[in-house]
Amino acid sequence: MINKVINNVQEALEGVEDGMTFMLGGFGLCGIPENSIAELVRRKVKNLTCISNNAGVDDFGLGLLLHQRQIKKMISSYVGENDEFERQMLSGELEVELIPQGTLAERCRAAGAGIPAFFTPAGYGTEVAEGKETREFDGKMYVLEKAFKPDFAFVKAWKGDTAGNLIFKGTARNFNPMMAMAGKITVAEVEELVPAGELDPNQIHVPGIFVQRIFEGKDYEKRIEQRTVRPKN
Amino acid sequence: MINKVINNVQEALEGVEDGMTFMLGGFGLCGIPENSIAELVRRKVKNLTCISNNAGVDDFGLGLLLHQRQIKKMISSYVGENDEFERQMLSGELEVELIPQGTLAERCRAAGAGIPAFFTPAGYGTEVAEGKETREFDGKMYVLEKAFKPDFAFVKAWKGDTAGNLIFKGTARNFNPMMAMAGKITVAEVEELVPAGELDPNQIHVPGIFVQRIFEGKDYEKRIEQRTVRPKN
Amino acid sequence: MALDKIGIAKRIAQELHDGWYVNLGIGIPTLVANYVPEGMQVEFQSENGILGMGPFPFDGEEDADLINAGKQTVTLLDGASLFDSAMSFAMIRGQHVQLTVLGAMEVAENGDIANWKIPGKMVKGMGGAMDLVASAENIIVAMMHTNKRGESKILKKCSLPLTGVGCVKKIVTNLAVLEVVPEGFKLIERAPGVSVEEIQNATEGTLIVEGEIPEMKID
Amino acid sequence: MALDKIGIAKRIAQELHDGWYVNLGIGIPTLVANYVPEGMQVEFQSENGILGMGPFPFDGEEDADLINAGKQTVTLLDGASLFDSAMSFAMIRGQHVQLTVLGAMEVAENGDIANWKIPGKMVKGMGGAMDLVASAENIIVAMMHTNKRGESKILKKCSLPLTGVGCVKKIVTNLAVLEVVPEGFKLIERAPGVSVEEIQNATEGTLIVEGEIPEMKID
């Protein structure tokens, strides 16, 4: 097997530079690459374009990069719950491109799957379709959407092996698999890194071919945005 | 949970009619819906269009339908190893459309994913691209390919639950997942049917939403086409 | 008396069908899950990657790795499945989800819906709404009939940027159940004690009233 | 002396790079797996859904549910993964597989390849070949320099229906290693004991011979 193990997050992020385009997995704060984000903050790379479904909260996730004004442009489907984001966006410091969530997911998969463009009905007749080719198939209208081209993808998995294979847990999967497919260099941080052969080959969510660098992350906070519970009786 | 269990293969195939378009999972004879094929043979439905990566062998798999001349048209990527197929094709009795294997897989997925068309580089400059739109993206040429529209999809999984969730084993997965996604009615036969809740939700290959009917198949022959082994020493 | 949010959710629950997969938006739609008719098999999809979503977890059993599209901690029912976002929207775009219930700022009589953007205000994004409305075979809008300023949200034409065109089939508000038909909004039911005149006054779009309009039955 | 199939496979194995994912076609290409240089990390992809394919199983341990693209029973190495056909071709189309080795009936000096169809004969289909050649960044064609009738398969222009256009970069035959360059086929190496003249005579396309042409080193 091809060994993808990197010693630590510092090595894993070697080559990140100002002005690059990154994909970052996660939905809300669920399944985000916490270690990689912390290292991006430490490195202070700036003028970044970040493709991520959400933009974190003020003091966690991508909010940490926003706070240091490292992000030039966000490409997301939903960016609520973030005051600093709002301030930067309204002041024009931050460029924001909003994309329907399914289109975002499919543009990531397309990037990884060598499909330069595809038709989707999402956004037809709305400002999302402005300037884009539209076409009718079987009486319904569709919009032509294109694959992304990120320099790096940062993803977070539950378990991974030395060959780069990844397994996710719960809804922490979300955008991570297709972003892993899309990255020119994909950096995967995992909660538990195991030797090749320990994971069931039938149950791999992301085959190691898509992962260039893997490391075991630490100190996962896994913050919950909306703790909703029922009383135990 | 929505219960998808059907008592037997006879009930599972209710509604199949002459002239319909079917998808049938499998690669070679690996992972083919043996029980559904047997029932199609018994029902003698004819003038079928069958979308399947291969066409079986003379006395197994889709070869059984060919033998009874139930198939009007085959849509496949590779149809070797089948004398009756060859005879019918060369005599003009059987219409054959050959499609690159990756395009076949993606046209199945597209059908299930509500994507009417996508661009792929496969087949550009060859007769496969004749009459199709081609377009350049970033200096490379691509062909526009369209989603299939099958009436039924017949797939075979290793384990399934009453909610229609499917898990595959080994390379018996192949085309089954995306065909399951594509079927207007998807019939899944499984080696082992278990109650909802027994399969790990993290490890479902095909979520039950794509499966309309599920049943536990029997008498799986699982024929091997090319038995290649090393001597034990 | 006009319905409250729970009343709207209860009325929408009556629109569920056995065997349907349903995506519920944030807000009133989420409440619909609490009123599924006894014995009916319905599965809830959450677009961040769940089929077979269950109720909130018991206090202390919440899992940061298991949330719904509203980022709330949830549970799974037996037979649930988890998947990635591309698969989730394959289900939605591919019309495998039979019903989408979502809120709106405006609905127009041609079925247009606006629910994601108010020019000049902070825009949070459309999330999965554009994919949902562009693909769902059945869309029910759950909302108040009028906005906070008392202006109708049921319009001849949407004034806000659209989320989807010609897609809304049915609307359940605090005042009425409406169907979107070629001629306009067809009044199907009135909230208990609410008159046709009150509904007419709260509706800017073309309201079609044919015969006696029954009251909703909500328990 | 011209190489046999094993010789061709051994020579192609010298083209492997550490860390490469490789797809081997049916026939001679399959043999390449047996000659991976010691200590080199290479993973073999089989387009029916395997990464990390191992050797044939021991007699009696074969599994009908575990075959390669040639429908042969195989095994998995530690760290292997299994996936569906859409995912498999996502890898191929998305250029995650670094090298494709496949056979051909004809190769033209512009890099065109024909390997799937002979008009008038039974056509078995292109399988995954068109996806592979359209996407691979490195394609090595493994074949005999001439066909059974002694005619060159290394041509100015393909006469058979194409599998892909302008995609072949390198050819390893029983006689030579050739690189496809803008001007034609550049002769890189000769099979042991085979002269440049023999290669020239067996090559219909433009052969470019610059300086001394070394012999292949095959052990």
Side-chain angles (χ1 to χ4, degrees):
Chain A
M1 287 302 119
I2 301 167
N3 193 317
K4 306 292 179 71
V5 180
I6 296 293
N7 289 318
N8 52 49
V9 67
Q10 286 79 26
E11 285 182 23
L13 267 66
E14 226 161 72
V16 301
E17 285 174 20
D18 291 354
M20 279 187 164
T21 297
F22 296 158
M23 279 184 178
L24 298 108
F27 185 97
L29 301 180
C30 183
I32 61 173
E34 296 186 18
N35 282 246
S36 291
I37 291 172
E39 175 64 11
L40 288 171
V41 168
R42 201 190 64 76
R43 289 197 178 219
K44 295 194 168 62
V45 283
K46 53 184 195 299
N47 286 322
L48 303 174
T49 296
C50 290
I51 302 166
S52 181
N53 188 55
N54 312 93
V57 294
D58 272 309
D59 62 343
F60 201 57
L62 287 180
L64 300 171
L65 293 175
L66 285 164
H67 188 75
Q68 282 202 140
R69 303 195 193 176
Q70 295 176 257
I71 304 178
K72 180 186 67 180
K73 181 176 181 181
M74 275 301 311
I75 299 177
S76 303
S77 87
Y78 188 83
V79 293
E81 287 80 69
N82 195 319
D83 290 338
E84 175 63 13
F85 186 100
E86 190 164 343
R87 197 197 59 70
Q88 289 184 24
M89 181 177 169
L90 292 175
S91 74
E93 289 167 66
L94 179 69
E95 196 183 338
V96 178
E97 185 179 342
L98 293 166
I99 294 180
Q101 194 174 142
T103 300
L104 185 72
E106 195 65 15
R107 289 177 65 184
C108 294
R109 180 188 179 272
I115 290 174
F118 59 89
F119 285 95
T120 175
Y124 174 74
T126 76
E127 61 181 59
V128 160
E130 280 169 22
K132 290 175 184 163
E133 178 179 336
T134 59
R135 194 184 296 197
E136 186 178 326
F137 293 93
D138 284 325
K140 186 169 172 171
M141 294 301 297
Y142 295 83
V143 184
L144 186 68
E145 294 281 3
K146 293 185 182 163
F148 288 118
K149 283 198 207 77
D151 297 299
F152 276 80
F154 300 104
V155 303
K156 145 90 174 31
W158 179 45
K159 289 187 182 181
D161 71 15
T162 53
N165 295 304
L166 305 179
I167 292 179
F168 302 87
K169 181 173 147 287
T171 55
R173 195 177 330 177
N174 55 66
F175 284 83
N176 285 297
M178 68 241 64
M179 288 183 171
M181 290 170 72
K184 199 161 150 188
I185 296 176
T186 290
V187 174
E189 56 180 89
V190 298
E191 290 181 53
E192 190 186 349
L193 182 62
V194 302
E198 285 209 4
L199 303 177
D200 180 350
N202 288 294
Q203 301 295 10
I204 304 299
H205 293 135
V206 174
I209 193 172
F210 295 114
V211 174
Q212 279 67 49
R213 306 174 187 175
I214 193 169
F215 67 96
E216 191 171 286
K218 51 189 174 189
D219 302 329
Y220 284 104
E221 187 174 337
K222 292 198 189 183
R223 204 181 287 187
I224 293 176
E225 274 183 270
Q226 306 280 341
R227 185 179 305 270
T228 48
V229 295
R230 285 178 291 168
K232 254 187 182 161
N233 31 337
Chain B
M1 288 300 120
I2 301 167
N3 192 318
K4 306 291 179 69
V5 179
I6 296 294
N7 288 317
N8 52 49
V9 67
Q10 286 79 26
E11 285 182 21
L13 268 68
E14 226 162 72
V16 301
E17 285 174 20
D18 292 354
M20 279 187 164
T21 297
F22 296 159
M23 280 184 177
L24 298 108
F27 185 97
L29 301 180
C30 183
I32 61 174
E34 296 186 17
N35 282 243
S36 291
I37 291 172
E39 174 64 12
L40 288 171
V41 168
R42 201 191 63 78
R43 288 198 178 219
K44 296 194 168 62
V45 283
K46 55 185 193 301
N47 286 320
L48 303 175
T49 296
C50 290
I51 302 167
S52 182
N53 189 54
N54 312 92
V57 294
D58 271 309
D59 60 344
F60 201 57
L62 286 180
L64 299 171
L65 292 175
L66 285 164
H67 188 76
Q68 282 202 139
R69 303 195 191 174
Q70 295 176 256
I71 303 178
K72 181 186 66 180
K73 181 176 181 180
M74 275 302 309
I75 299 177
S76 302
S77 87
Y78 188 82
V79 293
E81 287 79 68
N82 194 319
D83 290 339
E84 176 63 12
F85 186 100
E86 189 164 344
R87 196 197 60 70
Q88 289 184 24
M89 182 178 169
L90 293 175
S91 74
E93 288 167 65
L94 178 69
E95 196 183 337
V96 178
E97 186 180 342
L98 293 166
I99 294 180
Q101 196 175 141
T103 300
L104 185 72
E106 195 65 15
R107 288 176 65 183
C108 293
R109 180 188 179 271
I115 290 174
F118 59 90
F119 285 94
T120 176
Y124 174 74
T126 77
E127 62 180 57
V128 160
E130 279 170 22
K132 290 176 185 162
E133 178 180 335
T134 58
R135 194 184 297 197
E136 186 177 326
F137 293 93
D138 284 324
K140 185 168 173 171
M141 294 302 296
Y142 295 84
V143 184
L144 185 67
E145 294 281 2
K146 292 184 182 164
F148 287 119
K149 283 198 207 77
D151 297 299
F152 276 79
F154 300 104
V155 303
K156 194 265 182 182
W158 180 46
K159 288 187 182 182
D161 71 14
T162 52
N165 294 305
L166 305 179
I167 292 179
F168 302 87
K169 180 173 148 286
T171 54
R173 195 176 331 176
N174 55 65
F175 283 83
N176 284 297
M178 69 242 62
M179 288 184 171
M181 290 170 71
K184 198 162 151 188
I185 296 175
T186 290
V187 175
E189 56 181 88
V190 298
E191 290 181 53
E192 190 186 350
L193 183 62
V194 302
E198 285 209 5
L199 303 178
D200 180 351
N202 288 294
Q203 301 296 10
I204 303 299
H205 293 134
V206 174
I209 193 171
F210 296 115
V211 173
Q212 279 67 49
R213 306 174 186 175
I214 192 169
F215 68 96
E216 190 171 286
K218 52 190 174 189
D219 304 327
Y220 284 104
E221 187 173 336
K222 292 198 190 182
R223 205 182 286 187
I224 293 175
E225 274 183 89
Q226 306 280 342
R227 185 179 306 269
T228 47
V229 295
R230 285 179 291 169
K232 255 186 184 163
N233 33 334
Chain C
M1 203 185 68
L3 299 178
D4 58 5
K5 290 179 177 184
I6 288 177
I8 295 175
K10 283 183 172 176
R11 179 59 190 80
I12 290 173
Q14 295 172 14
E15 301 288 319
L16 300 173
H17 280 63
D18 203 41
W20 270 11
Y21 293 91
V22 179
N23 183 293
L24 301 176
I26 294 168
I28 302 174
T30 301
L31 300 173
V32 173
N34 300 326
Y35 305 104
V36 178
E38 193 77 25
M40 185 178 281
Q41 292 179 334
V42 167
E43 271 183 60
F44 294 105
Q45 200 250 17
S46 188
E47 65 262 31
N48 60 320
I50 311 177
L51 259 187
M53 189 170 34
F56 296 146
F58 287 119
D59 197 357
E61 293 178 7
E62 63 273 21
D63 178 356
D65 289 333
L66 195 58
I67 63 170
N68 65 15
K71 285 125 188 171
Q72 300 170 309
T73 46
V74 293
T75 57
L76 301 179
L77 301 176
D78 279 352
S81 57
L82 297 157
F83 36 84
D84 65 41
S85 303
M87 177 62 104
S88 183
F89 283 92
M91 289 174 193
I92 290 167
R93 213 188 295 103
Q95 305 197 311
H96 303 277
V97 175
Q98 276 82 17
L99 174 64
T100 284
V101 183
L102 79 175
M105 298 167 181
E106 297 179 347
V107 178
E109 57 188 60
N110 63 354
D112 288 359
I113 178 172
N115 74 350
W116 77 285
K117 185 175 184 177
I118 301 176
K121 284 209 180 180
M122 166 68 188
V123 180
K124 296 192 168 183
M126 68 292 282
M130 283 194 182
D131 307 272
L132 283 158
V133 302
S135 301
E137 288 182 275
N138 296 293
I139 298 174
I140 299 179
V141 169
M143 65 176 189
M144 294 297 151
H145 213 100
T146 53
N147 65 21
K148 284 167 191 164
R149 294 182 304 281
E151 299 159 345
S152 182
K153 297 167 72 175
I154 316 276
L155 308 172
K156 284 197 191 316
K157 198 170 178 312
C158 290
S159 66
L160 296 171
L162 297 181
T163 307
V165 295
C167 52
V168 176
K169 302 281 196 307
K170 197 169 256 184
I171 308 163
V172 178
T173 74
N174 52 327
L175 302 183
V177 178
L178 305 167
E179 249 179 47
V180 178
V181 297
E183 300 76 24
F185 298 104
K186 186 174 176 187
L187 182 58
I188 304 295
E189 290 176 18
R190 299 171 291 120
V194 172
S195 70
V196 170
E197 287 67 33
E198 285 174 82
I199 296 165
Q200 180 67 75
N201 290 338
T203 306
E204 193 252 2
T206 310
L207 189 74
I208 299 158
V209 184
E210 288 177 355
E212 201 60 39
I213 306 300
E215 276 192 359
M216 302 182 201
K217 289 190 183 63
I218 314 269
D219 32 73
Chain D
M1 199 187 67
L3 299 179
D4 59 5
K5 290 179 179 184
I6 288 176
I8 295 175
K10 283 182 172 177
R11 178 60 190 80
I12 290 173
Q14 296 172 14
E15 301 288 319
L16 300 174
H17 279 63
D18 203 40
W20 271 12
Y21 293 91
V22 180
N23 183 292
L24 301 176
I26 295 168
I28 302 175
T30 301
L31 300 172
V32 173
N34 301 327
Y35 305 104
V36 179
E38 193 77 26
M40 185 177 282
Q41 293 178 335
V42 167
E43 271 182 61
F44 294 106
Q45 201 250 17
S46 188
E47 65 262 32
N48 60 321
I50 311 177
L51 260 188
M53 191 171 34
F56 296 145
F58 288 119
D59 198 357
E61 293 177 7
E62 62 273 21
D63 179 356
D65 289 333
L66 195 58
I67 63 171
N68 65 14
K71 284 124 189 171
Q72 300 169 309
T73 45
V74 293
T75 56
L76 301 179
L77 301 177
D78 279 351
S81 57
L82 297 156
F83 36 83
D84 65 39
S85 304
M87 177 61 103
S88 183
F89 283 92
M91 289 174 193
I92 291 167
R93 211 188 296 104
Q95 304 195 311
H96 304 278
V97 175
Q98 277 82 15
L99 174 64
T100 285
V101 184
L102 78 176
M105 298 168 182
E106 298 178 347
V107 178
E109 58 188 59
N110 62 354
D112 288 359
I113 178 172
N115 74 350
W116 76 285
K117 185 174 183 176
I118 301 176
K121 283 209 180 178
M122 167 66 189
V123 181
K124 295 192 169 183
M126 68 292 281
M130 283 194 182
D131 307 273
L132 283 159
V133 301
S135 302
E137 287 180 275
N138 296 292
I139 298 174
I140 299 179
V141 169
M143 64 177 190
M144 294 296 152
H145 213 99
T146 52
N147 65 21
K148 284 169 191 164
R149 292 181 305 280
E151 298 158 345
S152 182
K153 297 167 73 175
I154 315 275
L155 307 172
K156 285 199 190 313
K157 197 170 178 311
C158 290
S159 66
L160 295 171
L162 297 181
T163 307
V165 295
C167 53
V168 176
K169 303 278 196 305
K170 196 169 256 186
I171 308 163
V172 178
T173 74
N174 53 326
L175 302 183
V177 178
L178 305 167
E179 249 178 47
V180 179
V181 297
E183 299 75 26
F185 298 103
K186 185 174 176 188
L187 182 58
I188 304 295
E189 290 176 18
R190 299 170 292 118
V194 172
S195 70
V196 170
E197 289 65 34
E198 285 175 83
I199 296 165
Q200 180 66 75
N201 290 339
T203 305
E204 193 252 2
T206 310
L207 190 73
I208 299 159
V209 184
E210 289 178 356
E212 201 62 37
I213 306 299
E215 276 193 2
M216 302 183 202
K217 289 190 181 63
I218 312 268
D219 31 74

XYZ file of all heavy atoms in Angstrom, chain A residues 53-98:
365
model
N -19.532 24.591 3.180
C -20.977 24.795 3.226
C -21.364 25.956 4.122
O -22.273 26.702 3.831
C -21.677 23.519 3.690
C -23.177 23.627 3.559
O -23.674 23.910 2.463
N -23.907 23.445 4.641
N -20.649 26.110 5.252
C -20.946 27.193 6.185
C -19.645 27.926 6.517
O -18.583 27.544 6.031
C -21.591 26.634 7.459
C -22.719 25.670 7.149
O -22.501 24.470 7.065
N -23.902 26.195 6.952
N -19.751 28.918 7.350
C -18.576 29.749 7.625
C -18.195 29.758 9.101
O -17.530 30.663 9.566
C -18.832 31.163 7.123
N -18.619 28.730 9.826
C -18.262 28.651 11.236
C -19.058 29.636 12.083
O -20.007 30.267 11.604
N -18.680 29.749 13.343
C -19.271 30.769 14.218
C -18.149 31.727 14.614
O -16.997 31.536 14.221
C -19.931 30.125 15.471
C -21.130 29.285 15.053
C -18.933 29.272 16.241
N -18.492 32.755 15.375
C -17.510 33.807 15.635
C -16.178 33.299 16.173
O -15.120 33.777 15.778
C -18.105 34.838 16.603
C -18.855 35.915 15.831
O -18.259 36.462 14.899
O -20.022 36.169 16.150
N -16.244 32.340 17.068
C -15.001 31.930 17.728
C -14.645 30.464 17.482
O -13.910 29.863 18.246
C -15.103 32.198 19.241
C -16.231 31.382 19.860
O -17.104 30.898 19.099
O -16.243 31.224 21.087
N -15.180 29.887 16.388
C -14.837 28.499 16.111
C -15.023 28.210 14.620
O -15.770 28.894 13.928
C -15.714 27.553 16.953
C -15.122 26.177 17.118
C -13.856 26.022 17.662
C -15.818 25.044 16.722
C -13.296 24.755 17.806
C -15.266 23.776 16.875
C -14.010 23.637 17.416
N -14.306 27.179 14.169
C -14.397 26.811 12.757
C -13.803 27.911 11.897
O -12.840 28.578 12.290
N -14.398 28.136 10.718
C -13.870 29.147 9.804
C -13.930 30.551 10.387
O -13.244 31.457 9.905
C -14.610 29.082 8.469
C -14.246 27.867 7.614
C -15.017 27.879 6.309
C -12.745 27.869 7.328
N -14.748 30.725 11.426
C -14.789 32.025 12.101
C -13.413 32.454 12.575
O -13.099 33.652 12.608
N -12.569 31.502 12.913
C -11.214 31.813 13.377
C -10.379 32.433 12.255
O -9.583 33.341 12.491
C -10.543 30.533 13.909
C -11.256 29.849 15.083
C -10.630 28.491 15.363
C -11.212 30.730 16.327
N -10.570 31.948 11.044
C -9.856 32.530 9.900
C -10.433 33.892 9.541
O -9.698 34.815 9.159
C -9.937 31.596 8.684
C -9.220 30.249 8.772
C -9.505 29.421 7.530
C -7.721 30.451 8.909
N -11.735 34.002 9.653
C -12.383 35.291 9.363
C -11.899 36.354 10.336
O -11.630 37.494 9.956
C -13.905 35.151 9.487
C -14.609 34.420 8.339
C -16.011 34.001 8.757
C -14.647 35.299 7.095
N -11.781 35.959 11.576
C -11.367 36.874 12.630
C -10.009 37.495 12.293
O -9.771 38.682 12.539
C -11.292 36.110 13.950
C -11.053 36.982 15.126
N -12.032 37.792 15.669
C -9.942 37.203 15.871
C -11.541 38.459 16.683
N -10.268 38.125 16.833
N -9.128 36.684 11.714
C -7.793 37.184 11.327
C -7.791 37.765 9.908
O -6.737 38.038 9.351
C -6.763 36.035 11.395
C -6.299 35.713 12.785
C -4.938 34.997 12.776
O -4.105 35.267 13.596
N -4.719 34.076 11.851
N -8.957 37.872 9.329
C -9.103 38.402 7.965
C -8.225 37.668 6.952
O -7.598 38.270 6.084
C -8.795 39.893 7.931
C -9.703 40.629 8.895
C -9.729 42.092 8.678
N -10.367 42.731 9.821
C -10.480 44.032 9.969
N -10.003 44.838 9.063
N -11.068 44.522 11.041
N -8.199 36.366 7.083
C -7.405 35.554 6.140
C -8.191 35.191 4.892
O -7.629 34.773 3.894
C -6.934 34.270 6.841
C -5.973 34.515 7.989
C -5.600 33.229 8.708
O -6.095 32.943 9.789
N -4.728 32.457 8.110
N -9.514 35.329 4.981
C -10.370 34.903 3.870
C -10.784 36.096 3.016
O -11.304 37.082 3.514
C -11.613 34.165 4.391
C -11.187 32.976 5.258
C -12.496 33.711 3.233
C -12.335 32.196 5.861
N -10.517 35.956 1.720
C -10.897 36.988 0.761
C -12.303 36.708 0.236
O -13.100 37.608 0.025
C -9.897 36.963 -0.412
C -10.139 37.981 -1.496
C -9.176 37.763 -2.670
C -9.480 36.448 -3.387
N -8.608 36.162 -4.521
N -12.569 35.414 0.035
C -13.854 35.044 -0.567
C -14.368 33.743 0.035
O -13.616 32.778 0.166
C -13.684 34.883 -2.079
C -14.973 34.511 -2.801
C -14.761 34.456 -4.304
C -16.060 34.110 -5.005
N -15.883 34.036 -6.470
N -15.657 33.739 0.376
C -16.311 32.523 0.870
C -17.280 32.027 -0.194
O -18.053 32.806 -0.747
C -17.144 32.822 2.126
C -16.433 32.821 3.456
S -15.614 31.284 3.941
C -16.874 30.058 3.674
N -17.225 30.733 -0.453
C -18.206 30.103 -1.346
C -18.960 29.086 -0.498
O -18.384 28.085 -0.068
C -17.501 29.437 -2.547
C -16.738 30.507 -3.341
C -18.495 28.694 -3.417
C -15.930 29.963 -4.512
N -20.229 29.374 -0.219
C -20.998 28.606 0.763
C -22.459 28.541 0.345
O -22.888 29.242 -0.571
C -20.933 29.293 2.136
O -19.601 29.441 2.563
N -23.217 27.720 1.070
C -24.667 27.727 0.837
C -25.399 28.494 1.930
O -26.510 28.971 1.737
C -25.212 26.296 0.741
O -25.551 25.762 2.011
N -24.779 28.595 3.104
C -25.449 29.255 4.233
C -24.399 29.746 5.209
O -23.527 28.986 5.620
C -26.400 28.274 4.921
C -27.261 28.927 5.974
C -28.437 29.584 5.618
C -26.892 28.907 7.315
C -29.230 30.200 6.578
C -27.678 29.526 8.278
C -28.842 30.170 7.900
O -29.623 30.770 8.849
N -24.485 31.020 5.569
C -23.406 31.630 6.353
C -23.903 32.327 7.611
O -23.293 33.283 8.088
C -22.627 32.642 5.488
C -21.870 31.921 4.389
C -23.581 33.686 4.910
N -25.029 31.890 8.120
C -25.623 32.559 9.282
C -24.782 32.400 10.541
O -23.726 31.763 10.544
N -25.301 32.975 11.639
C -24.712 32.738 12.960
C -23.254 33.171 13.076
O -22.432 32.464 13.625
C -24.809 31.247 13.331
C -26.184 30.754 13.708
C -27.082 30.471 12.508
O -26.817 29.521 11.766
O -28.059 31.231 12.327
N -22.915 34.333 12.535
C -21.523 34.735 12.572
C -21.446 36.252 12.414
O -21.509 36.770 11.300
C -20.755 34.022 11.440
C -19.266 34.100 11.617
O -18.750 35.140 12.003
N -18.586 33.014 11.338
N -21.284 36.966 13.511
C -21.320 38.427 13.485
C -20.164 39.032 12.708
O -20.339 39.980 11.945
C -21.305 38.980 14.919
C -22.613 38.693 15.632
O -23.627 38.466 14.940
O -22.619 38.670 16.880
N -18.956 38.486 12.901
C -17.783 39.024 12.221
C -17.934 38.837 10.710
O -17.587 39.714 9.921
C -16.506 38.329 12.738
C -15.220 38.714 12.035
C -14.853 40.196 12.190
O -15.449 40.879 13.043
O -13.978 40.659 11.421
N -18.472 37.665 10.328
C -18.751 37.409 8.914
C -19.657 38.502 8.369
O -19.384 39.101 7.334
C -19.430 36.048 8.767
C -19.633 35.622 7.351
C -18.767 34.726 6.757
C -20.696 36.118 6.604
C -18.950 34.345 5.444
C -20.882 35.744 5.296
C -20.007 34.843 4.714
N -20.740 38.762 9.098
C -21.720 39.745 8.671
C -21.070 41.124 8.507
O -21.301 41.816 7.516
C -22.853 39.788 9.706
C -24.041 40.591 9.258
C -25.283 40.316 10.109
O -25.311 39.278 10.819
O -26.208 41.130 10.057
N -20.255 41.474 9.486
C -19.601 42.777 9.433
C -18.720 42.897 8.190
O -18.822 43.855 7.420
C -18.754 42.975 10.702
C -18.333 44.420 10.985
C -17.198 44.527 11.975
N -15.975 43.837 11.557
C -15.195 44.238 10.547
N -15.503 45.299 9.856
N -14.112 43.539 10.221
N -17.881 41.883 7.979
C -16.958 41.913 6.835
C -17.711 41.905 5.508
O -17.322 42.536 4.539
C -15.990 40.732 6.890
C -14.956 40.841 8.001
C -13.949 39.703 7.964
O -13.726 39.095 6.922
N -13.346 39.413 9.100
N -18.816 41.158 5.476
C -19.582 41.055 4.236
C -20.258 42.389 3.930
O -20.194 42.879 2.801
C -20.631 39.960 4.379
C -21.457 39.760 3.119
S -22.611 38.394 3.332
C -23.633 38.645 1.877
N -20.899 42.963 4.933
C -21.629 44.213 4.702
C -20.682 45.367 4.402
O -21.016 46.285 3.651
C -22.527 44.540 5.904
C -23.702 43.557 6.103
C -24.466 43.881 7.375
C -24.634 43.559 4.888
N -19.455 45.299 4.952
C -18.485 46.371 4.708
C -17.763 46.171 3.374
O -16.992 47.025 2.955
C -17.450 46.397 5.840
O -16.560 45.298 5.709
N -17.986 45.033 2.742
C -17.351 44.784 1.457
C -15.947 44.216 1.562
O -15.278 43.982 0.566
N -15.472 43.965 2.786
C -14.126 43.379 2.944
C -14.087 41.941 2.457
O -13.071 41.444 1.990
C -13.720 43.373 4.433
C -13.411 44.712 5.028
C -13.345 44.619 6.547
O -12.442 43.947 7.064
O -14.235 45.211 7.207
N -15.236 41.287 2.630
C -15.317 39.859 2.317
C -16.247 39.646 1.129
O -17.372 40.138 1.111
C -15.867 39.107 3.539
C -16.060 37.609 3.404
C -14.719 36.900 3.307
C -16.846 37.077 4.595
N -15.753 38.921 0.131
C -16.581 38.575 -1.011
C -17.312 37.268 -0.682
O -16.709 36.358 -0.110
C -15.662 38.393 -2.225
C -16.346 38.393 -3.562
C -15.340 38.143 -4.687
O -14.132 38.391 -4.462
O -15.755 37.683 -5.741
N -18.573 37.203 -1.034
C -19.353 35.996 -0.704
C -20.087 35.506 -1.932
O -20.754 36.281 -2.616
C -20.375 36.289 0.415
C -21.206 35.048 0.706
C -19.661 36.751 1.680
N -19.939 34.212 -2.237
C -20.712 33.615 -3.323
C -21.588 32.535 -2.713
O -21.087 31.573 -2.131
C -19.766 33.019 -4.372
C -20.523 32.492 -5.585
C -19.595 31.927 -6.654
O -18.385 32.228 -6.629
O -20.088 31.145 -7.489
N -22.891 32.721 -2.841
C -23.817 31.758 -2.257
C -24.317 30.800 -3.326
O -24.699 31.221 -4.424
C -24.980 32.491 -1.593
C -24.553 33.311 -0.365
C -25.650 34.281 0.037
C -24.181 32.391 0.790
